[in-house]
Amino acid sequence: MGRLSSRRDMLGWLGMLGAGTALGAWSGRAGARPEPGRPNIIFIMSDDHAAHAIGCYGSRINKTPNIDRIAREGLRLDNCLCTNAICGPSRACILTGKYSHLNGFKTNNDKFDGSQPTFPKMLQAAGYKTAMIGKWHLVSDPTGFDYWNVLPGQGAYIDPVMIELGRKEKRSGYVTDLITDSAIEFIQKRDKAAPFCLMCHHKAPHRNWIPDAKHGDMYEKEDIPEPDTFKDDYANRSRAAAEATMRVNRDLTPEDLKESPPDGLEGDALAHWKYERYIKDYLRVIASVDDNVGRLLDFLDKEGLADNTLVIYTSDQGFYLGDHGWFDKRFMYEESLRMPFLARFPGVIAPGTVNGDMVLNVDFAPTFLEVAGVKAPDDMQGRSFLSTLRGTTPKDWRTAMYYQYYEFPQPHHVYPHYGVCTEGYKLIHYYLPGKIDEWELIDRKKDPKELRSVYDDPAYADTVKQLKGQIAGFRKELRVPDETA
Ligand code: CA
């Protein structure tokens, strides 16, 4: 994939600006922005929204015109990856700029230590007004926010309870609409003398995918195609994939499916029926997210805020949309490792930019801080990619990343694993004393669907050796404790 498909356009565009440092070039229109170089930040994040269910990422199963607008007017990252692909842990990595073993939130059974440094606290200390609205999912109360209004735990789709600054109240309506209402209200009531950072974090499209009434009949008369790897037999890899309990054809519950299969269906026909039930509700729930992203963007236009606001759309990690026969996430395979990441930042990001730099969720915090002109603390493990957003990839930018997943055995029996992902390979170690000690090597160029481990193939012996060295280097650099060896 091209690093910058629109590089020529961008160079011309930057030339028109007359300066390489677009942020510094801002002159500050009266009333439109609090002060030059201190843009607002709106960080929209959904839960479990895979990139391959977003139009601008080439989805073949749905359309997302409003989310796509962010990419059209800004940028799409094609290689944004999650360091621990599961809900709460990814959120903790994003807040702290640190891997799970250092921020302490390794699984969804942990409780976030809200006393540790986070980017919202640093923005707040620098004069930003900060807000956290929607899905929080870190057990402890949010810290570092002037305003917060969050769902308890996973939250409900219909008439959810929300906790506003510690006060619980049942709301009437659909969760994605209510979160957007609250986000818009925060912006309306904000202190206009200060820049703001608003985290608008949707529950959708998390399991169990309950659509609102207006999208309930979408796709009713269509047949959504199964992905190529829907009938993966899990042969030729570690037994970790085969032993995971997240199969569409076996592990979806009656609550997920919401109706009983027709009599007489079995085998592939039954699996396909379940897939249709699952994927259609997933996409219906996303349709509401897309509508509400549009509503927020329109509101920014109306308020005159679009020009001085960085708008991000991402998801806490990817998801299996029947890929490998699965729903859910967790594995280091592409569909859950990869996060969608779209950003619009007028005057900084050239419209229509597509970029393939390897960016991680731990990079978000230092990036937001640099956008606000705040120095990131040295112990943040991520690195700001503002330069990439501006159109220049630093020469020493990473070409490999370290991943580690911990949660076992509930709820989907995915063995803990760590590994390295490079442009050409993934080397993954499934580890758990007495349970599993297996390696997988994926040749990403020859096997982009990730169906065959070549770990035991002698032709790859040197590659394995080199990648194991890379893992050891990462573990030392990132200060990963030894007990996971
Ligand atoms: Ca999630």
Side-chain angles (χ1 to χ4, degrees), residues 309-385:
T309 300
L310 165 61
V311 178
I312 306 280
Y313 183 83
T314 186
S315 165
D316 56 350
Q317 72 320 280
F319 213 64
Y320 297 98
L321 310 181
D323 312 281
H324 299 289
W326 291 331
F327 61 97
D328 216 73
K329 53 259 180 179
R330 300 162 199 273
F331 277 97
M332 200 180 158
Y333 300 131
E334 204 62 14
E335 294 85 352
S336 56
L337 178 69
R338 184 171 157 202
M339 306 163 79
F341 190 99
L342 310 171
R344 185 183 75 177
F345 198 0
V348 176
I349 297 173
T353 301
V354 176
N355 178 285
D357 293 348
M358 186 182 276
V359 165
L360 308 180
N361 59 349
V362 289
D363 297 335
F364 295 4
T367 303
F368 294 150
L369 291 175
E370 190 179 5
V371 163
V374 178
K375 188 183 178 308
D378 291 338
D379 67 347
M380 272 194 181
Q381 297 179 306
R383 180 175 174 186
S384 169
F385 54 97

Side-chain angles (χ1 to χ4, degrees), residues 404 418 429 431-433 475 481-485:
Q404 189 153 0
Y418 61 82
H429 184 204
Y431 68 92
L432 195 60
R475 288 172 65 92
D482 283 342
E483 72 262 25
T484 53

Side-chain angles (χ1 to χ4, degrees), residues 46-48 86-88 91 135 206 315-317 329:
S46 52
D47 191 338
D48 295 355
I86 178 172
C87 306
R91 288 156 201 272
K135 175 104 174 243
H206 193 278
S315 165
D316 56 350
Q317 72 320 280
K329 53 259 180 179

Side-chain angles (χ1 to χ4, degrees), residues 156-161 170-171 173-175 178 210-213:
Y157 272 107
I158 312 282
D159 298 340
V161 169
K170 191 175 171 73
R171 306 293 171 118
Y174 189 66
V175 69
L178 293 171
I210 298 177
D212 64 357

Side-chain angles (χ1 to χ4, degrees), residues 398-424:
R398 76 169 70 80
T399 55
M401 64 86 73
Y402 179 80
Y403 179 89
Q404 189 153 0
Y405 166 83
Y406 302 86
E407 191 171 292
F408 182 87
Q410 298 299 335
H412 293 297
H413 203 278
V414 175
Y415 287 110
H417 55 287
Y418 61 82
V420 65
C421 173
T422 69
E423 197 182 340

Side-chain angles (χ1 to χ4, degrees), residues 93-136:
C93 292
I94 288 169
L95 283 169
T96 60
K98 293 174 183 167
Y99 273 74
S100 306
H101 60 273
L102 291 191
N103 67 45
F105 201 100
K106 297 200 282 193
T107 78
N108 278 334
N109 304 315
D110 292 317
K111 181 175 182 179
F112 185 68
D113 171 9
S115 71
Q116 65 187 307
T118 62
F119 82 82
K121 287 183 186 175
M122 293 170 208
L123 291 180
Q124 197 179 36
Y128 269 70
K129 296 297 176 189
T130 57
M132 166 65 221
I133 295 167
K135 175 104 174 243
W136 172 247

Side-chain angles (χ1 to χ4, degrees), residues 41 43-44 95 119-120 131-134 136 145 197-201:
I41 298 169
F43 175 30
I44 310 169
L95 283 169
F119 82 82
M132 166 65 221
I133 295 167
W136 172 247
F145 299 99
C197 173
L198 164 64
M199 296 165 69
C200 176
H201 289 191

